[in-house]
Amino acid sequence: EHARLAEAFAAQAAIAIENARLYQASQAHAGQLEAQNLELRKLTLAIEQSGSIIEITDAAGLIQYVIPRFVEVTGYTAREMLGQNHNRLYSGEQDANFYRVLWDTIRSGQIWRGEFRNRRKDGELIWEVASISPVKNELGEVTNFVEIKEDITKQKAIEEQLNRTQQL
């Protein structure tokens, strides 16, 4: 009888020890997740509070994410742009070849840098300087694009005024 009780106690003790080990492991994992979440929150805040216009698209160019600066500069809400392509922003001042070179560059895995003129929701034309980078998965396949832009409309106006003044 004592042997059977000792055996049952040993089995219960083994279960309790394993439960304690699993609890410690889960607590350590929870701590790691919390630290990762904190880093992710800091990164998200840094991106969203930057002065740049940042957006992320899928591989087909459909917008998946925009930061508040995008909304401020373009006049379009995130809701209006998510799932859409950039056609709403096109001014018509760049020809099809311009966009073909841009897309060929980023689809090949290279970074495209350049300037273009876009149209805000209210119709106002704006100049932007942009860098568009492909995001690749572990197999090297392009899955997304990240576009970082700056509104250079004021700089372009100053340059144009300076050029006109120099021509006089």
Side-chain angles (χ1 to χ4, degrees):
E1 179 69 24
H2 288 315
R4 190 174 56 76
L5 285 174
E7 196 175 290
F9 178 77
Q12 291 297 319
I15 291 171
I17 290 169
E18 179 62 13
N19 283 344
R21 187 193 67 74
L22 290 172
Y23 177 76
Q24 283 181 326
S26 71
Q27 290 298 100
H29 185 67
Q32 290 171 343
L33 286 176
E34 182 60 33
Q36 289 173 344
N37 283 337
L38 179 60
E39 288 301 309
L40 185 57
R41 280 194 299 272
K42 284 194 293 188
L43 178 60
T44 300
L45 285 173
I47 289 169
E48 289 186 347
Q49 294 176 15
S50 78
S52 298
I53 304 159
I54 301 173
E55 58 189 276
I56 299 173
T57 70
D58 64 13
L62 299 179
I63 298 171
Q64 295 181 316
Y65 175 80
V66 297
I67 67 168
R69 180 80 173 129
F70 174 94
V71 174
E72 179 185 323
V73 171
T74 67
Y76 287 100
T77 66
R79 171 175 265 151
E80 289 174 302
M81 293 305 293
L82 295 180
Q84 303 296 313
N85 62 29
H86 290 86
N87 289 349
R88 290 181 177 181
L89 302 174
Y90 292 169
S91 67
E93 293 193 16
Q94 286 79 219
D95 62 12
N97 188 55
F98 175 89
Y99 289 106
R100 187 173 27 263
V101 169
L102 184 156
W103 279 103
D104 287 348
T105 301
I106 61 177
R107 283 187 177 133
S108 73
Q110 304 299 310
I111 297 171
W112 180 89
R113 290 180 178 88
E115 294 180 0
F116 44 77
R117 202 159 192 197
N118 275 334
R119 186 176 307 277
R120 292 174 35 88
K121 184 177 182 178
D122 63 11
E124 179 185 342
L125 295 174
I126 56 174
W127 279 101
E128 296 174 312
V129 61
S131 173
I132 305 174
S133 304
V135 177
K136 300 175 187 175
N137 65 16
E138 58 281 346
L139 300 175
E141 301 164 331
V142 174
T143 60
N144 299 85
F145 299 105
V146 175
E147 183 173 16
I148 302 174
K149 303 186 289 188
E150 299 293 331
D151 179 356
I152 59 168
T153 305
K154 289 179 183 172
Q155 293 91 319
K156 285 288 195 179
I158 291 168
E159 285 176 19
E160 186 178 311
Q161 185 178 14
L162 183 59
N163 287 338
R164 275 186 274 157
T165 303
Q166 288 176 345
Q167 290 175 358
L168 293 178

